[in-house]
Amino acid sequence: MSSNAPEAPVRKAGTREWLGLAVLALPTLLISLDQSVLYLALPHLAEGLNPTGTQTLWIMDIYGFLIAGFLITMGTLGDRVGRRKLLMIGATAVGITSVAAAYSTSAEALIVTRALLGIAAATLMPSTLALISNMFQDPYQRGRAIAVWASCFMGGTALGPVIGGTMLEYFWWGSVFLLGVPVMVVLLIVAPFLLPEYKDANAGKIDLVSVVLSLLSILSVIYGLKELARYGFELVPVAAIVFGVAVGAVFVSRQGKLAAPLLDLKLFKVGAFTAALLILMVSMLGTGGGYLFITGFVQMVEGYSPMEAGLWMVPAAVASIIAAQLAPRFAKTHQLSTVIGVSLLIGMIGYVLLVFVGPVGGMPLLVAGFVITFIGVGTLGALGTNLVVGSVPPERGGSAAALSSICGDLGTALGIATLGSLGTAFYRGSLDVPDGTPAAAADSAEGSMEGAIAAARDLPAEASDNLLTAAGEAYTSGLNAIGVACAVVTAISATIAFTLLRKKSGDAPTQQEEKAEDSLSTT
């Protein structure tokens, strides 16, 4: 791309492209639904398969681990073999492994099928997002399309407990895994007619050593962060993180020496691309940690069931969807850095409201704060993702989409580990165990809110109520502390947006970005 060359007219998307977007929205909705419904199915699953505690953790975690681990590989693979082709292969694999998971007869079988399902699902996110970048070449239309894509992801997260709870009312635990089968069948039927094929003819072969290095690095870091959140500061998770970072350094060094790298490091020379990834990761740090404690408050302090808690989260999801749909309109008439920065500051106000939530009657303020927070989440999800994909040449779209998803995953895992630990520390420091509570129950309650609830079941009614009240007050203090921390994190994200994002929507690229894109296009 040369600044002296005349610009070719940008092709506008038509009816076929918008219908194709509806097809691409289906797997996006499915991925966000899948993880949230499993939380509801766990008690029913435990009755049928009798997993050990360790097996239960792997059933929960292996899916997300392998999605994150294979994102870079699948994003780059789609650029090489064809994005539509990879999407259809992945959709077929998701359908088959979903059926296998639903009819698993042992915990070991479910762990294996969940692992395979995670690998298959890793093809969906980068393929759908990269195809959107091909189908919608007009920047404003692409922004609207990615807003729809982001809205489906946010909506699925909120609707998962509601849909899953309804299905578990009438069917067995395996039914929640069958949600994806009809979705994948529809995709396989209509994709050849509505979705274009795209691949980079000059991409070269996949470097298998880089695949292994990326897997080891990402899986080790995310595993370590999750274990820190679950068990606190211990040697094994810290060692896993250090190992993952070291392997990641080897991976980066290798990419710089390859003619056809798995991850093109030149992408990071595009300033808007790098800034958007940084903002996405930092923002998801706050969202991940905040969401964990907010949903815990709704269920454990307020006493709502998972399905009822999901219904309380619907207003926030609606707010994020509306914000995502409006964001491209604001970005068309205002500076992009201003739109993202202001939306994040609005979200910061929502986190500040969490500081004042009380253990009794706190739901209205909590929901109000969550709704305001998700205005920022929705805006960033639409504009930030669009900026990542739109800042790179089309042949690098799969890699860019994969990096966007990985930054979100890493930010969420880091938020759960750090902010979750902060909230837990405040809980333990604030808990005042009532006099007369048996030592075993007191020890259990001092460990976590979940431990307090479990201990209270074996106590007389009055002692149980007193312990739960004290634990609820302590957990609320942890939520208040999380509100402060999330507000600070969101303010940092807003500062990055105001200082590093300077382009207006639709402006010509800066000279530095133009050179970076030229070097990418000729690689």
Side-chain angles (χ1 to χ4, degrees), residues 138-398:
D138 176 74
Y140 177 63
Q141 286 190 323
R142 186 179 62 240
R144 290 173 57 198
I146 289 179
V148 172
W149 178 89
S151 297
C152 289
F153 191 82
M154 300 169 200
T157 301
L159 292 176
V162 180
I163 295 174
T166 302
M167 293 190 69
L168 291 170
E169 285 277 337
Y170 301 100
F171 305 106
W172 91 112
W173 62 264
S175 65
V176 299
F177 294 111
L178 298 179
L179 282 169
V181 177
V183 171
M184 295 300 106
V185 170
V186 171
L187 188 151
L188 290 170
I189 292 173
V190 301
F193 303 100
L194 295 178
L195 302 180
E197 183 58 286
Y198 183 91
K199 64 179 178 180
D200 182 6
N202 302 314
K205 295 182 179 180
I206 291 282
D207 179 51
L208 295 180
V209 175
S210 295
V211 171
V212 174
L213 290 173
S214 69
L215 277 173
L216 285 175
S217 177
I218 295 169
L219 291 177
S220 297
V221 171
I222 291 183
Y223 169 79
L225 291 172
K226 282 182 173 287
E227 292 300 289
L228 282 178
R230 187 174 286 144
Y231 301 114
F233 190 86
E234 293 185 354
L235 178 60
V236 172
V238 172
I241 294 172
V242 172
F243 174 76
V245 171
V247 174
V250 175
F251 171 80
V252 170
S253 176
R254 183 175 179 82
Q255 301 317 291
K257 301 173 183 177
L258 294 174
L262 187 69
L263 176 62
D264 192 344
L265 301 181
K266 294 188 182 75
L267 290 172
F268 295 97
K269 292 182 179 179
V270 182
F273 174 84
T274 304
L277 287 179
L278 182 60
I279 295 168
L280 284 169
M281 186 169 68
V282 174
S283 297
M284 288 307 298
L285 189 154
T287 303
Y291 193 84
L292 174 71
F293 251 71
I294 288 170
T295 53
F297 179 89
V298 174
Q299 293 181 68
M300 294 187 292
V301 178
E302 294 290 340
Y304 290 104
S305 69
M307 187 171 71
E308 291 170 334
L311 288 172
W312 277 105
M313 298 297 106
V314 168
V318 171
S320 70
I321 291 170
I322 293 174
Q325 297 305 309
L326 293 177
R329 297 179 183 271
F330 286 111
K332 192 176 183 181
T333 56
H334 298 79
Q335 191 172 6
L336 184 61
S337 60
T338 302
V339 177
I340 294 179
V342 169
S343 70
L344 288 170
L345 291 179
I346 292 173
M348 183 189 71
I349 295 172
Y351 284 126
V352 170
L353 291 182
L354 299 183
V355 178
F356 303 100
V357 171
V360 179
M363 282 301 294
L365 190 59
L366 178 88
V367 172
F370 210 34
V371 167
I372 294 172
T373 293
F374 265 64
I375 292 174
V377 172
T379 302
L380 180 60
L383 297 183
T385 304
N386 183 34
L387 189 57
V388 169
V389 175
S391 297
V392 302
E395 61 268 21
R396 301 294 192 270

Side-chain angles (χ1 to χ4, degrees), residues 284-521:
M284 288 307 298
L285 189 154
T287 303
Y291 193 84
L292 174 71
F293 251 71
I294 288 170
T295 53
F297 179 89
V298 174
Q299 293 181 68
M300 294 187 292
V301 178
E302 294 290 340
Y304 290 104
S305 69
M307 187 171 71
E308 291 170 334
L311 288 172
W312 277 105
M313 298 297 106
V314 168
V318 171
S320 70
I321 291 170
I322 293 174
Q325 297 305 309
L326 293 177
R329 297 179 183 271
F330 286 111
K332 192 176 183 181
T333 56
H334 298 79
Q335 191 172 6
L336 184 61
S337 60
T338 302
V339 177
I340 294 179
V342 169
S343 70
L344 288 170
L345 291 179
I346 292 173
M348 183 189 71
I349 295 172
Y351 284 126
V352 170
L353 291 182
L354 299 183
V355 178
F356 303 100
V357 171
V360 179
M363 282 301 294
L365 190 59
L366 178 88
V367 172
F370 210 34
V371 167
I372 294 172
T373 293
F374 265 64
I375 292 174
V377 172
T379 302
L380 180 60
L383 297 183
T385 304
N386 183 34
L387 189 57
V388 169
V389 175
S391 297
V392 302
E395 61 268 21
R396 301 294 192 270
S399 296
L403 284 171
S404 175
S405 297
I406 287 174
C407 282
D409 289 342
L410 286 175
T412 300
L414 187 60
I416 291 173
T418 56
L419 299 184
S421 298
L422 174 68
T424 300
F426 268 83
Y427 167 83
R428 291 171 178 167
S430 304
L431 180 63
D432 185 11
V433 178
D435 294 336
T437 302
D443 289 342
S444 180
E446 288 170 353
S448 65
M449 182 71 192
E450 293 88 346
I453 293 172
R457 295 193 186 104
D458 299 325
L459 298 178
E462 183 177 356
S464 175
D465 290 342
N466 291 338
L467 180 60
L468 289 177
T469 298
E473 292 173 351
Y475 192 89
T476 304
S477 70
L479 175 65
N480 301 150
I482 290 289
V484 174
C486 288
V488 172
V489 168
T490 307
I492 293 172
S493 296
T495 302
I496 296 172
F498 284 126
T499 55
L500 296 184
L501 293 180
R502 300 183 183 278
K503 284 177 57 181
K504 294 181 180 179
S505 176
D507 280 354
T510 64
Q511 187 176 18
Q512 180 183 4
E513 290 171 346
E514 197 169 8
K515 289 180 179 178
E517 292 187 11
D518 278 337
S519 66
L520 284 167
S521 299

